Amino acid sequence: MDTIKSYIPKLHIMPPRGWLNDPNGLCQKDGLYHIFFQYSPDTPLGGLKSWGQYTTKDFLTYEYTGEYMKPDIAEDKDGVYSGCGYVHGDEIYTYYTGNVKMEGDFDYIYKGRGHNVILSRTKDGIHYDEKKVLLTNSDYPSNLSCHVRDPKVFEYDGRYYMVLGARTNDNIGCVMIYSSEDMLNWKFERFVDSANRFGFMWECPDLFTLADKCILSFSPQGLDAEEYRYQNLFQSGYIVLDDMPWDLSCKGLFANMKVADTTYVVDESRFVEWDMGFDFYAPQSFVDEKGRTILIGWMGIPGADYDHDPSIDEGWQHMLTLPRVLSYDAALGIVKQNPVEEILELRDGVIAGNMDGNYEVPEIYELVGKTPNGFFEITFDHSLVFRASENDITLAFAGDTGYGRSIRKIKMPCQVQNVRIIVDVSAVEIYINDGQYVMTTKHYPKKDIAREVKVTGDMDLVCYKLKSMEFRKER
Ligand code: FRU
């Protein structure tokens, strides 16, 4: 009987000990992928943030290379916050937010907080050079609160650009775009804002092209929950921009902008959530050496009321999602996500085909299948129910097995045709219709019962056994 002894995943990145949040500094250099992450090793409840790092050549064998960058200058004394990695020549440029809390009686939103853009460079991803403070709060436009963070840098047509997430003094979420010739001196170019107020803060912005579309990704805070939208405390999603804010034949990023003043206005009604499950936030993308645009998200939500996950009793909390390849579906006008194909190598034989009824399953496995009419129900370990019916798709925990998680719903514009589900001890990722929708959740089945899947409905479903990935914990 395969029961769970620990909730430690075998396919997902977790903190070696303590707490993990956002993926940071994602890049590939000389074949090696660098996956940094927000890290508080001393407690699973989160504390002072540094960057931890895993590296991998193939997304199958990972090496934990240690706590890469810690707060050690005045401008990042209260946390090495989120940022990016940009490969330039033989170096990785890491831009991040140095968090500073001043001594005194402050609200730390409008006063008393420093959010600095800091650069440090590394050749090997192990040693980094001096930290250079590039921008401080006094450099940002005056209508902003102190919350300005999470730089993401990219190159377009020979110029460098940086997006930063921000909150105005009037509590409006927005993104700022900076440009630079030399990656050191940055000039404010534009705000990106929504036509109607869309949350009080936009965190972790990202701007990239996919096919010939320009995608703006960000994590807005402060949207009201609806039955089928914005069901988590904080969201993350993207808007496909129609009028490309750049054009090769023109002079740079903003040549085609319709809005004459300093703000590029996006239509917030076109915001598409990246993931419809319980545990997904602050994703970051990067382009790898094969030219794939890969997205990794944090399997967690800041401040969610499911903060008593039983992994805490094991001394750790949170994971990163599997790396997902993004593709633009022109017919649907959306971005599809699918796990990197490398993980197909983990399949290790079929446990069951043509599934109907109850099956005992191991700790890690994959379900792949089609459904002719789109109606089915899959129950994991008597506690997590994934169901597709005429009206919607639901992912629901029975009783209190969700540790605060209850139900998440998708209103389907069309029926479910296929699913691919990866179950990894305490992590579940559900890909629907070739990655049109994804639902990601943590799931903590009872430790003393056999793992089981129950399938009902009209489905042609196969269950594969999966091999574990290798995570080498210490350098
Ligand atoms: C998103 C976030 C970022 C910040 C980081 C701090 O989860 O709040 O905006 O840089 O986490 O850990």
Side-chain angles (χ1 to χ4, degrees):
M1 179 170 94
D2 243 332
T3 59
I4 293 197
K5 282 156 205 76
S6 118
Y7 291 120
I8 292 179
K10 298 187 167 165
L11 311 174
H12 287 76
I13 282 179
M14 63 172 280
R17 60 194 174 87
W19 161 285
L20 160 155
N21 58 300
D22 314 356
N24 291 154
L26 305 179
C27 61
Q28 188 183 20
K29 178 175 173 283
D30 304 326
L32 193 65
Y33 292 98
H34 297 266
I35 303 173
F36 299 93
F37 57 89
Q38 286 285 282
Y39 193 23
S40 299
D42 294 338
T43 158
L45 300 177
L48 184 66
K49 302 286 166 63
S50 60
W51 279 24
Q53 182 187 205
Y54 283 90
T55 57
T56 177
K57 288 194 172 74
D58 54 11
F59 293 128
L60 297 172
T61 300
Y62 288 84
E63 190 163 355
Y64 171 65
T65 60
E67 213 176 338
Y68 171 70
M69 192 160 41
K70 295 186 194 184
D72 55 9
I73 58 171
E75 292 84 353
D76 69 9
K77 72 176 184 62
D78 297 301
V80 174
Y81 271 16
S82 285
C84 63
Y86 181 83
V87 179
H88 183 65
D90 66 346
E91 289 180 313
I92 303 170
Y93 283 50
T94 56
Y95 295 87
Y96 69 94
T97 298
N99 181 47
V100 177
K101 283 180 141 182
M102 291 145 205
E103 294 284 319
D105 183 18
F106 295 115
D107 56 33
Y108 296 112
I109 300 172
Y110 314 102
K111 294 243 166 355
R113 189 82 177 252
H115 274 171
N116 306 306
V117 175
I118 305 178
L119 164 70
S120 87
R121 289 177 287 208
T122 176
K123 284 194 164 49
D124 56 7
I126 305 292
H127 309 95
Y128 57 87
D129 74 355
E130 187 200 345
K131 295 174 173 175
K132 289 191 182 56
V133 179
L134 304 182
L135 296 170
T136 66
N137 289 69
S138 59
D139 300 311
Y140 306 138
S142 60
N143 60 331
L144 295 183
S145 71
C146 305
H147 284 217
V148 176
R149 55 180 178 263
D150 311 333
K152 176 85 195 297
V153 168
F154 56 98
E155 188 247 319
Y156 189 78
D157 201 18
R159 256 185 107 71
Y160 301 100
Y161 295 93
M162 176 194 291
V163 280
L164 276 171
R167 168 179 188 156
T168 67
N169 279 323
D170 299 326
N171 303 315
I172 295 172
C174 62
V175 163
M176 288 194 291
I177 304 187
Y178 280 72
S179 73
S180 173
E181 303 283 348
D182 60 4
M183 303 176 77
L184 296 173
N185 296 290
W186 293 88
K187 178 172 163 277
F188 173 73
E189 295 278 358
R190 298 278 163 171
F191 281 113
V192 181
D193 187 7
S194 49
N196 299 293
R197 187 174 179 277
F198 195 59
F200 60 79
M201 169 73 194
W202 291 2
E203 295 191 314
C204 300
D206 199 349
L207 189 60
F208 55 94
T209 49
L210 203 58
D212 60 351
K213 289 289 177 192
C214 180
I215 313 289
L216 173 72
S217 168
F218 57 102
S219 297
Q221 300 190 315
L223 307 182
D224 291 335
E226 295 174 19
E227 186 179 5
Y228 290 104
R229 292 199 305 182
Y230 318 146
Q231 297 161 82
N232 289 333
L233 177 61
F234 297 136
Q235 323 308 323
S236 53
Y238 63 89
I239 296 177
V240 181
L241 306 181
D242 293 324
D243 42 346
M244 294 273 286
W246 57 64
D247 186 324
L248 268 176
S249 61
C250 301
K251 295 136 286 311
L253 192 63
F254 303 105
N256 272 2
M257 288 207 354
K258 287 188 182 142
V259 183
D261 63 16
T262 54
T263 304
Y264 178 80
V265 179
V266 296
D267 177 358
E268 75 286 346
S269 71
R270 295 175 58 184
F271 182 77
V272 181
E273 291 175 67
W274 281 116
D275 194 290
M276 299 301 286
F278 295 90
D279 295 281
F280 187 91
Y281 193 69
Q284 186 177 90
S285 76
F286 72 106
V287 180
D288 79 351
E289 290 171 352
K290 290 185 180 145
R292 301 180 291 186
T293 303
I294 295 177
L295 187 86
I296 298 180
W298 170 33
M299 281 185 66
I301 307 270
D305 54 6
Y306 24 90
D307 53 1
H308 31 273
D309 284 354
S311 70
I312 296 170
D313 302 333
E314 298 178 356
W316 64 282
Q317 192 174 193
H318 303 310
M319 295 170 263
L320 297 184
T321 65
L322 294 170
R324 302 171 178 178
V325 176
L326 302 184
S327 57
Y328 182 69
D329 185 312
L332 294 172
I334 57 142
V335 179
K336 287 185 163 174
Q337 305 167 60
N338 283 290
V340 288
E341 77 237 15
E342 283 86 336
I343 69 161
L344 286 173
E345 284 184 33
L346 298 173
R347 285 188 189 163
D348 193 21
V350 170
I351 294 172
N354 213 356
M355 295 171 79
D356 186 14
N358 297 31
Y359 298 84
E360 216 174 278
V361 282
E363 282 187 313
I364 53 171
Y365 59 94
E366 186 178 346
L367 299 172
V368 182
K370 292 197 197 49
T371 158
N373 61 19
F375 306 148
F376 61 86
E377 193 172 281
I378 304 176
T379 306
F380 303 88
D381 308 299
H382 311 277
S383 46
L384 177 64
V385 184
F386 174 53
R387 179 160 191 265
S389 65
E390 208 168 339
N391 297 322
D392 51 23
I393 301 176
T394 54
L395 184 64
F397 284 93
D400 59 0
T401 56
Y403 295 88
R405 295 166 188 80
S406 51
I407 187 163
R408 292 292 176 265
K409 296 176 166 190
I410 301 176
K411 185 92 198 155
M412 282 295 285
C414 56
Q415 74 168 43
V416 177
Q417 288 131 23
N418 60 62
V419 294
R420 180 170 174 204
I421 304 173
I422 294 161
V423 178
D424 174 19
V425 191
S426 55
V428 181
E429 296 194 32
I430 302 176
Y431 295 82
I432 300 160
N433 288 358
D434 304 309
Q436 177 182 0
Y437 294 99
V438 192
M439 299 181 103
T440 299
T441 189
K442 294 180 204 156
H443 174 216
Y444 301 99
K446 295 264 172 296
K447 282 193 173 164
D448 48 356
I449 58 166
R451 294 213 77 168
E452 190 196 272
V453 160
K454 181 177 167 199
V455 181
T456 55
D458 204 357
M459 274 222 106
D460 179 9
L461 199 65
V462 178
C463 180
Y464 295 97
K465 189 166 176 235
L466 295 180
K467 286 181 279 198
S468 181
M469 290 180 187
E470 196 180 331
F471 291 94
R472 299 193 194 120
K473 287 278 155 75
E474 297 291 346
R475 195 150 36 99

